[in-house]
Amino acid sequence: MAESQTLSLIDSRHPGYLSGMTDWRKWRLTYEGGDDFRDSYLERFSTREDQEDYGVRKAITPVPAFAKAAINDIRNAIYQRLRDVVRKGGSEVYQAAVNGSNLGVDHRGSTMNAFLGVKVLTELLVMGRVGVFVDHPLVPAGATLANVSRPAPYLYKYDIEDILSWTCSKPEAPSEFQAILLRDTVMQYDQSTMLPSLSVERYRYMWIEGGRVHLQFYNLKKEEVDGAGLPGGPMQLELDRIPFVLLDIGGSLIKDVCQQQIALLNLGSSDVNYALRSNFPFYIEQKDLRATGAHLKHAATEDGTSTSGGQGAADTSITVGATHGRTYDKGMNPPAFINPSAEPLRASLELQDRLKRDIRELVNLAVSSLAVRVSAESKAMDNQGLEAGLSYIGLLLESAERQIAEFWAAYEERSLRKREVATIKYPERYSLKSDADRIKEAQDLEKLMAKVPGRRVKRELAKGIVQTLLGGKISMDDLAAINREIDNAHYTTSDPQTIIQAAQAGLVGEKTSSVALGFDDDEYLEARKDHAERVKRIAEAQGGMEKVGSDPAARGIADLSADPNAGKEEKAASRNTDLQDTTAQRVRGKGRFAGE
């Protein structure tokens, strides 16, 4: 390739690359935080703050990380559902790699869930775009499967800064590339110690020509090299598609919260500085100012050569601060700033709380805006829109992993008909609800169950309660098994109070009551037997059943009484003190119960 063409190729940038590159550093620093974020965005108060004071304030300034917390909540909500991803089919090598065996999917022992959830998903949410390259170890020329072990493909990601330019084969297929230019960072090793000595950059240019993928590397001098950095021309791969997957959600989720976190940084710095520097006594002393002034001669210095401050000194220049004192004339009120008001600090703290809430709300709003690509109806409710936005990100990951599986199979088998391509299926629902939110929503649904007639609707509400409490926490198989149990149950409630009241009123049988409470099918028979024996023991212990007019209920055996409430009158009469010698209450003392 001609030198001028090489220079033009290496320096080319996609319009989408140029339009967003000015904000990338701010997005990344806002998420990562640390000293780099503080050094880049902490501002000096004014020209009155000298460099030394600014350096002291910077050293004690806390770095906020609320944008990171909001992004991590979104990431974790999706990541915890990756365990429910179904990956069927594919080769044995592929299945072993996605489960972390044989060095995993990235030759670093990562499972597919770990690679996508930790590396790819975080970068996608923070920067809005990330690439995944499916690579394959170099097989020596002329090698056959008989003398070379079957190498496994592997994955690595490309940050947005390293995806320089690209051309799509078809407008309707944005991940089908005709040509692409990437920037690699590779390590150079010391030949004597085999340890890395420095990192260097190189360019990777891939294009399709004659139905096959071609690859060419360039060094920083823009010279053609091979994969090892040695001089070499283009290579032809046994692929008909460039093995690169681009994930794009249209923009960073934190692009609208960067300024909020920068404001929090500076507000927090001001508050900490104010609290530290204002925590000193401010010395004041009354003095007759008529004896002072510029019109009077100043006191001589110790050597007697001049007056202190010079003859031209004036008293209009005032030095103020936490370690300085001031005098004021007798009869005057002390200066108002002797005791600085806490109102500015309180207002600043309230503003910071508002900004913290804004960061989370804006991140959630950015996720909700993705729901428009799934369903316009999902915007009806904020929570539904947020869940739909999470579902959109899940669908994007599913599409990307399907392409990865296709490239993986293409590396393993050249023949299209013999390729074993895995089938990928991601969960359809995701949620950001806390446990408290889940419990409250489940309680609201439980109240509706008692008011809505019909068994079918009650069963569906019960399934909604299960989904609310356990959705995203258990596997889809377990959730389906629970729903089948709800469909097969002969009752539509398990509330103990409702069941016991219905049993006492004679509205439900013993067996149904026992099963509805979660006991074994035949447990009610054992309970009936135990109940009869308990009644017998009470009757024998109480005695006096042969007494005329005695009611079993008054003896503590309500089950043998025709009227279980009849014993209350006898009990009240026994406690009446009108005809007794003493008015002391005739009840047992503390801790004296029947049978003691």
Side-chain angles (χ1 to χ4, degrees), residues 575 584-596:
R575 294 180 177 179
Q585 293 185 357
R586 306 185 69 188
V587 295
R588 290 186 177 93
K590 183 177 180 181
R592 298 178 61 189
F593 298 96
E596 289 190 356

Side-chain angles (χ1 to χ4, degrees), residues 313-332:
D315 59 356
T316 57
S317 177
I318 299 176
T319 302
V320 296
T323 58
H324 299 281
R326 286 292 299 162
T327 61
Y328 63 97
D329 199 4
K330 294 181 178 180
M332 296 179 59

Side-chain angles (χ1 to χ4, degrees), residues 482-519:
I482 294 174
N483 289 337
R484 287 194 297 269
E485 289 182 357
I486 295 175
D487 290 331
N488 296 331
H490 299 291
Y491 46 85
T492 56
T493 182
S494 291
D495 178 51
Q497 185 176 0
T498 302
I499 295 172
I500 292 173
Q501 291 177 352
Q504 291 176 346
L507 300 177
V508 65
E510 294 177 339
K511 181 177 180 179
T512 301
S513 301
S514 179
V515 175
L517 289 173
F519 301 113

Side-chain angles (χ1 to χ4, degrees), residues 186-190 193-199:
V186 296
M187 303 297 298
Q188 286 190 351
Y189 298 87
D190 185 275
T193 63
M194 299 305 297
L195 296 176
S197 56
L198 74 160
S199 62

Side-chain angles (χ1 to χ4, degrees), residues 288-348:
D288 189 356
L289 296 182
R290 291 175 298 177
T292 62
H295 64 286
L296 299 177
K297 183 177 181 180
H298 293 266
T301 58
E302 293 181 358
D303 59 6
T305 57
S306 65
T307 57
S308 59
Q311 292 289 349
D315 59 356
T316 57
S317 177
I318 299 176
T319 302
V320 296
T323 58
H324 299 281
R326 286 292 299 162
T327 61
Y328 63 97
D329 199 4
K330 294 181 178 180
M332 296 179 59
N333 293 326
F337 56 87
I338 264 184
N339 180 20
S341 173
E343 289 302 321
L345 183 60
R346 187 176 294 111
S348 177

Side-chain angles (χ1 to χ4, degrees), residues 190-218:
D190 185 275
Q191 296 301 319
S192 60
T193 63
M194 299 305 297
L195 296 176
S197 56
L198 74 160
S199 62
V200 296
E201 293 181 349
R202 71 180 182 188
Y203 297 96
R204 180 194 299 258
Y205 174 56
M206 304 184 74
W207 73 99
I208 297 178
E209 183 178 340
R212 284 290 179 263
V213 176
H214 292 74
L215 169 64
Q216 178 64 65
F217 292 105
Y218 298 91

Side-chain angles (χ1 to χ4, degrees), residues 18-94:
L18 298 174
S19 63
M21 62 183 302
T22 56
D23 296 323
W24 290 343
R25 184 173 183 271
K26 179 185 291 186
W27 298 347
R28 197 173 293 282
L29 289 179
T30 299
Y31 177 79
E32 294 177 353
D35 293 341
D36 290 339
F37 177 76
R38 180 178 57 194
D39 295 343
S40 299
Y41 298 109
L42 183 65
E43 302 291 342
R44 292 178 62 177
F45 286 152
S46 66
T47 55
R48 292 176 298 179
E49 182 181 41
D50 58 29
Q51 191 63 34
E52 181 179 357
D53 289 340
Y54 174 70
V56 172
R57 181 168 63 87
K58 179 188 290 187
I60 62 174
T61 295
V63 180
F66 300 103
K68 176 184 289 187
I71 289 293
N72 288 348
D73 286 344
I74 303 295
R75 181 197 64 190
N76 295 339
I78 299 174
Y79 182 75
Q80 69 179 354
R81 297 302 313 276
L82 293 184
R83 63 183 178 181
D84 296 329
V85 175
V86 178
R87 300 180 178 94
K88 295 182 179 180
S91 66
E92 295 181 0
V93 175
Y94 171 81

